Amino acid sequence: MNRREFLGTFAAAAVLPAFVREDTNEWGAPVFDLHFHLRPQPAANLAHLDGAGIAKANLLTRGRALDQVKALQAAAPGRFTWFSSYDVTQPDAEQVLTQTVKSGAQGFGEMKFHVAADGPELRRMYALAADLQVPILIHFQEVDHSPNEGTWSTGFAKAFAAVLKEYPRTTFIGHADAFWANVSADYHNEAVYPAGPVKRGGVTDRWLGDYANLFGDMSAVSGSNAMARDPGFTADFLKLHQDKLLFGSDCSCRDGHGAGYNNPAAPRMAGKCVARETLGVLKRSTSPVIFQKIAWGNVHRVLRIPA
Ligand SMILES: [Zn+2]
Ligand SMILES: [Zn+2]
């Protein structure tokens, strides 16, 4: 081994911590968190990943975040990818988001704005995501969690099949309340997190099967709740859509064990880590092979990065 080869080995070893975890990981497979909001302090980001047994995460950012992302990537090589978002109602949205992709962002998200899911503001973003060959992650919500919170990317159940057809080159990643409540055919925007048995044939379930360009981000209480409400449904759903589902946490707890977590719309989750709750239900509900796809394999394909 010459000096250059030795240094090459050393450089590879520097990124090893993310992969050493594969053997010792408490979940039995390495975990990638698609939906992790960038925290201002670098150490706070790592505290959640390490606490929850997560090897890698995709940082969701809004506005100017490049310096913070680069600093974190330098502090923990190989553990972070990132998405960018920007107010889609602003005239320079396309220009700003294009620049972030040129700077290394792997996708758009999360897109969470008070506009219609099939309105002109988001349509521009769907077209741009296709042109730049990056996925777009969208927050769909029709019911307020608190008075006057407002709704986000509205009209999912009624309007989104047409969007999926119209933008076949765009990779859509669905997320949040309306996306997950609509796994059940009897949902009509009456609850934030519906409980009880799922009525088969909900639009989210059907569209994941019908449209190659739609993926599901399992993060937040919405994703966790959808998988926890009806074990028979969950087992079938995970098997059927095993190549279309991506684990994510959207958890705001401090330590990856639930410290400080409080969601007024879901009192049962107080003091719990959403990442742990969702990984737990996934592990109980499916085979190790499918778990590994959802927790690790699929996201690498969708983000076009090596596993
Ligand atoms: Zn969201
Ligand atoms: Zn957590």
Side-chain angles (χ1 to χ4, degrees), residues 35 37 110 112 139 175-176 250:
H35 196 123
H37 291 279
E110 71 173 305
K112 183 178 182 180
H139 180 112
H175 147 78
D250 200 6

Side-chain angles (χ1 to χ4, degrees), residues 5-180:
E5 285 168 340
F6 172 77
L7 289 175
T9 309
F10 186 74
V15 296
L16 265 181
F19 303 103
V20 167
R21 282 184 180 78
E22 290 183 33
D23 301 319
T24 53
N25 184 292
E26 66 180 286
W27 304 108
V31 175
F32 187 115
D33 182 350
L34 172 73
H35 196 123
F36 184 78
H37 291 279
L38 173 67
R39 301 176 180 198
Q41 299 302 324
N45 295 279
L46 290 164
H48 194 270
L49 268 68
D50 291 343
I54 291 170
K56 292 165 52 169
N58 185 46
L59 303 165
L60 303 183
T61 71
R62 184 173 291 191
R64 290 188 182 282
L66 185 60
D67 292 347
Q68 281 182 74
V69 169
K70 295 284 175 207
L72 189 51
Q73 287 177 326
R79 296 189 73 180
F80 293 100
T81 56
W82 65 293
F83 279 14
S84 60
S85 78
Y86 187 79
D87 186 344
V88 295
T89 66
Q90 294 302 310
D92 61 345
E94 286 156 295
Q95 191 195 331
V96 172
L97 287 172
T98 299
Q99 189 52 51
T100 61
V101 169
K102 285 184 180 159
S103 301
Q106 274 91 357
F108 296 164
E110 71 173 305
M111 297 316 227
K112 183 178 182 180
F113 302 98
H114 299 298
V115 296
D118 65 343
E121 302 89 352
L122 278 171
R123 281 176 179 276
R124 307 191 282 161
M125 300 304 132
Y126 304 155
L128 183 64
D131 288 347
L132 297 175
Q133 298 188 299
V134 293
I136 180 164
L137 195 170
I138 306 158
H139 180 112
F140 297 103
Q141 183 180 333
E142 312 275 357
V143 184
D144 291 19
H145 286 199
S146 52
N148 306 316
E149 183 192 18
T151 52
W152 319 84
S153 319
T154 50
F156 172 72
K158 283 205 176 76
F160 214 65
V163 170
L164 293 167
K165 275 196 203 93
E166 211 175 313
Y167 296 90
R169 291 166 51 240
T170 304
T171 299
F172 293 95
I173 307 177
H175 147 78
D177 306 12
F179 184 82
W180 286 108

Side-chain angles (χ1 to χ4, degrees), residues 39 48 52 251-258 272-276:
R39 301 176 180 198
H48 194 270
C251 186
S252 58
C253 90
R254 282 194 299 275
D255 59 356
H257 291 275
K272 293 184 177 167
C273 174
V274 184
R276 288 186 165 276

Side-chain angles (χ1 to χ4, degrees), residues 218 238 242 245-247 290-296 298:
M218 315 197 80
L238 296 176
Q242 59 182 278
L245 300 172
L246 312 167
F247 167 76
I290 294 176
F291 179 85
Q292 168 127 8
K293 284 186 174 185
I294 295 171
W296 183 257
N298 294 344

